[in-house]
Structure formats: C-alpha cells, structure tokens
Amino acid sequence: MAATCCHAAHAQATPPPTPAAAAQSTPTPPEPVDSALIVIRADTDERLAISAIELAGQPDPTAALAPTLEAITRSVDQRSQALSPVQLRRVPIIRLESLDRHWKFDSKRFARWRDALQTATEPYAADAAELARRRASWQLTRQHPTDIPPVLLSRIDALITLLTRAEQALAGPLSRQMELGARANALEARLQSGHAAVTDAITYLDHQLLQLDAPPLWQAEVDSPDQRAAASDALSSGLQIELEFSRAYVGEHRRTQFLFHAIQVLLIPLLIWGWHYSRRMSANGSIEAATQRVLARPVSTWLLLSTIVMLVIEPDAPLLTLQIGMLFALVSVLRLLPPGSRRLLGYWPLVASLLYLLGGLGIVFLSSNIAFRYYTLALTVTAMLLTGLVQWQAYRSGHTRATGRAGQALRMAAWGAQGLFAVSLLANVVGNLTLAEMLTSAIIDSAYFGLLLYVGIAALLSLLHLLLSRPSLARYRLARDHAPPLLALLRRLGIFAAVVGWVVYAMDSFRILRPTYTVLSSLLSYEFSIGEFSLSLGQVLAFIAAITIAFWSARITRLLLQDVLQHGTSISRGIGNSIASLASYAVLMLGLIIALSAAGFKGSQLALLFGALGVGIGFGLQNVVNNFVSGLILMFERPIQPGDVVEVGTINGRVRDIGMRSTRIKTFDGADVVVPNGTLLSEPLVNWTLLDRNRRIEVNVGVAYGSNPQQVLELLSNCAKQTPSVANEPPVAALFVGFGASSLDFSVRAWTRDYDNWLSVRSELISRIHAALQDAGIDIPYPQQDVHVRSLPKAPPDASGPPLPPTA
C-alpha cells in the first residue's frame, strides 16, 4: 500500500517523462524551488517522504528471495566441490550432459530470481533517488532566503528534516538489498565459470573421440583400492547431485508438472472407456487389430503415453528422470507393438529393448574403470551377436521379398550398426574408451528410442481413429467427410515429428549435435544488409515457417468453425460461414504480423511497409482492395450464402464459397465460374434461395373452344393439388387468362418448397394435366388458320389486247 502511495506521489509531483527523457540515463540536476510553488511542492514532497517511511517500515520483500538464492548457492557449491575442471575431463559423457542440464537449469532459475529481485528493489531505489534529489532542491532554496517569508522558511526546514529521516529509513532496507545483490553477483560469476568448465569438458571429450585415452586392453591394469573408493565416492556424489537436481526441477516447474499429471489423469478414464469399448466391439469384429491391441492393454498404453508426454513437454528434464521414464516404458513398448510389425521388424524390438536394459545396468560398474571397460566390451560383443542373429533369421525367412523398401532400409541400418559395433570393439581393445563407449551406447539408445517413438505414434493414431469414428461425431460433416484425410494428415505429421525427434536424439547420442548446432547457428545468424534493413537466413526461414503455420491454422480454423457452427448450433449457415471466414482472416492476419516480427521487422519498418503498401493500393491495387472490401460486406450483410442459387448477369448457378477476393459459382452446366466480389455488389443479383427454398411453378394450358371453363379450372386445380412436392400454402391457383386465336387460355400456379427439384415437380404436374385432359375428353387444339377461296367476275375484253385470265 505504501509503495502505491509513493508512486502516486511521484505522479503528482513530476510530470511523466517524455520518451526522449526516459531514454537518457543522466539524472536531472536539482534546482531551487520557485517561491510561488513552495506550498504546493512542500505538500507533495511531504506525502512522498511519509510514503517512503511507510515503505521502509513494511517487511522487506527481498527477504523472501534469500532462501531461493541459498538453494541455488548450495547447488552450485555441491557441484563445484564435487568435481574440479580437471576431474570433469575424466567424467563419462552422459554425466557431463546431465551436469550441463543442471547448470542451465540453475542459470535459468537465477535469471528468474534476478528479475524478481529487480522488481522488489525498484521502488526502494527509485524513492531513495527521488528523496535525495528533492532534498537537494530544498537545500538550494534554503541557501537563498531573501524573498521567502519566515513562515515558509520554517516549513522548508521541517521538510528537509522529514526528507532526511525518510532517506535514513530507506537506508536500512537498501543496504540489505545491496548486500543481497552483491551475493547474487558473486553467484552469477560462479555460475558462468562452472557452466563454462562443463562446456569445455564436453568439448574436450568430443576431441578425444579420435584419440587414445587408455592403454590397450592387454596392458590394462586393475584399479587400486584407492581408485575404486574414489570412483565409488564420485558415483555416490553424482547420484546425490542427480537426485537433488530432480527435486529442484520438480519444485521449479510446477506448471509443467501440473500439466503432465493432468494429462496422466485424463488418460485414465479415456483408456478405461476404450478397454470396455474394445471388449464390447471385439465380438463382432468391428474394431481393427492394432486398435484392439492398444485398448486391450490400458496400463501399458498409459505408461507408454505418459513417457511420450514427458519427453515432449519436459525435454530439458534431468537425464536420470528421462532414462527412468524410458525404462518404465520398456515392457509397454513390447506389449503394444502393432500386429503387422512382426513381418517387418522380426525379433529386432526384443533385441533393442534387451540391449537398452543391459546398457542401463552399466551404471553398476561405473565405480571401477576396468570393470566398466570390460562391461562395455561385453555389451558390444553381445549386441553384435544378437544383431547378427536377427539378420540371419531375416535372411532365412525371406525378409527381402516380403518387406520391400522399408525392409531394405532396415537391413541397411542393421549392417551399419554392425559396422559401428565393430569400430567400437576395436576402439575398446586399442584404448580409445571414449569412442567405444559413445558408439555402443549411441547405437543402442537410438535404436530403442526409435522403437519407442514408432510404438507411441501407432498407439496415438489408434486412439485418434477410435475417437473420430464414434457415432456421436458422425453428425459433424468434418468428422464424417474429412476423418480419413485428417487421420492421414495426422499420421504424416506424427511420422515427421517422430523422425525429427529421432534424428535430433541420434545426433546428440553420436556427439554431432553440438558442432552441427554451432555451425547452423553461425549460418542462420549471418546477416546481409540493404540500407538500414538487415536480414538473416534464420529470419527468412522463420518467416516462411510462420506463414505456413498461419495458412494451415487459418484453413483448419475455417473448417472447424464451419462444421461446428452449421451442425452444432442453431444459427443460420450464412452467419456460421461469415464467422468462420472472418476468424480465418483474423488468424491469417495475426500469423502475417508474427511472421514479419520473426523476420526482424520493427515497428517503424512495418509502418514503412504498410505505407508503401498503401501507395501500391492507391495506384495499382484498387480492384483487389475493392474486391476484398466487397467480400467483407458480403459476409456481414449476407445477401448470398454458400449453397444459394443465384443469377448474376448471364451466370446462373449455385454459390460454392465466398473468398477474400472472389466468389465461386458452380453453374448448372457443371462449370466453375469465379466472380469478383465487387461485381456481386455493383450488378443486379438474383438470389432464389436467400430466405427460403420456395419456388413458384406456372403452367399455361390452351383448350379447344366449346370446352367448359369451370370444368377445366377444377381439373387443373385437382391435378396441381395431387402432384407430390406441391405445397398447400400458398394455395394452388387456377386461372382463366383469356381467349386465344384458337384456344381458351388457362394458367395453373403452384408452389413447391423443394427448389432443387422444381423442374421435376413441374414435369410431373404437366404430365398429370395432359392425362386428365385426355380422360375428360377435352382437346388441346393445334394452332390453325382457315383460308377461304372465292372467284372474281371476268373483266370486259380490251380492244387493245387479248382478254385477261380469271383471278382467284
């Protein structure tokens, strides 16, 4: 509360700084107070001093930060005392990777602590600086008292005393905070040096991959008791550090842990329902074998999916936690293998799981260098024998003919693994233990991790297929029409993500991820400049990725909203289509802004870009903008909707979709016509199905003269009423419209609500009228014309010529 009052006093005392003033770090020198403002400034500064005294009297918020700093300090001391920079170079690489994660974790935790300290100390430091500046101003004023009344001088003296007391009150908390900051600075230096030592050790071991670091196997000596004791103590302390790291990680990442456990809890009812559903549906054979295997083993599925979720949302977790999680999923991986994988993989899943388990047991031999060396050698030989056995079994079973390209890739991988195992065996024998240990563990870990991802993706796709095929989702067009392509898309995305994850994991296991990352970072961060604008390859790739994601996100948003709003709510299809289209435009625009930001565009550059775009619009893009704005008007006013039958000029057809620039109309002849949106607003538009799907049908009939008009009217009316799909409202109208040249003219007018089939209804009505007229004996006259011929009298003879012939 005091801090709030103090900042309020600051706001009343001084105007807010301008951006130019805020950018300058040089404080404003104190100036004497104008005599006309002494009373107002004195009241304001008195409130500031009282607020500062109240702030100093409150509990110091930095006291709550001290335990966290102590915890980080203990963690740093534990690692620094356990291993010196020289000893780090003799530590196994997996231990160094775990230490690297630990140092990064403490660095991130310290950075968050430093931000919290700055937030907590900022009010104290700001108030102390402001108090000192204002006290100096009042002291300058007091040095020239010529034009100041005595009563104001006493007020100034009291105020100077109060400001001094406020400064003294803040001095205590500020000194403690400065002491805490000094301890933090020392800890930060130790964090940087410790992390740098681990990074140097990892780099050193990477360079040692091609160098001998031990005597040959036939010259290796047994460890002395002192060496075994030191190695055992190092192993014990390392395990203790790992446990401390795991506890600290869990305590620091509470949100991530909550999300992880929430997903685990949500999976339980889903898998129980799937288990019951599979038992009910397996009797009639309506469920696939792969899905049946996943649903029939809910515990294994839960363990496997929990491991996948942990690897996805906690990639920077302690290595000990990740390895234990992958070991827990070992049995689940074997139990959930897809039924068709036996033909492709054979016994390789069992071999990979067994080797991974044996590799994890190697931690028992870390207390003795020679024992761990022999264990690595034995593990390499075992892996070669088991891999060769799997290859021989595949050769005998005709694996080449039955599996195609996938089997060929798997066989090439097996031969590559055999070659690397042979290199590891040779390196162990001649004395390159670093290379031998790396190759053996990397091959085994990569194989098991690939198997874990393969089974995990298959289990996830089986669950998604089951959920999307539920009858309750059949009423949604998206699930009914797009479920197969959606599952295919998700399958491709899952395979792509699994391949990328496996490649990264394998590169890290084979110790090539760090140098590759360094090279790619330097390559992607290389900038080329055009005037004041600079751009890097990484920013270009980020822009392309952001645009691609925005485009697909907009499409998915439109499809989902169209399906949900049209089939899951009671709103009209036009409103649903407008909402879906506008939402997709919003997602696309947001993605464009994010993409430009990822490309390195700043606010001023974006303003320049949009200004140039405005000039382009003014000169050459008027029609594009006109059509875009017209499309927005069409979406808001909704004079047409997808599915409407419209006439625009000579175009007659059904509206397929309304886009950003144009509308697509499917004519009744089967052609797709793209009409600019501006044309739909500027030209007359006939919409036959805007408000309803009613259509009036009119049939004109002519009967022979002498027919009974009343009989004809009743006959026409009855025929219309008995015709299927003719509506009762509005009622049928039969009219006597006039006397034709050769017929009495009648007209029957009826309505149908089935617009799509109105031509068929009209055809049925005409057929019924024709049959009824024939049954009633009423003729439909043909158009005819009577020609009357008569003779004219003969003309008198002309003296000048012969007589003319008679004419008709």
Side-chain angles (χ1 to χ4, degrees), residues 667-682:
T667 66
F668 296 121
D669 295 330
D672 284 314
V673 180
V674 179
V675 181
N677 291 329
T679 303
L680 297 177
L681 292 182
S682 61

Side-chain angles (χ1 to χ4, degrees), residues 1 56 96 183 193 203 217 235 327 385 436 451 453 673 775:
M1 182 65 182
L96 287 177
R183 292 167 52 193
S193 61
T203 305
L217 188 63
L235 179 62
L327 282 174
L385 292 176
L451 180 64
L453 292 178
V673 180
D775 293 341

Side-chain angles (χ1 to χ4, degrees), residues 20-29 133:
Q24 298 175 356
S25 59
T26 304
T28 304
R133 189 181 69 82

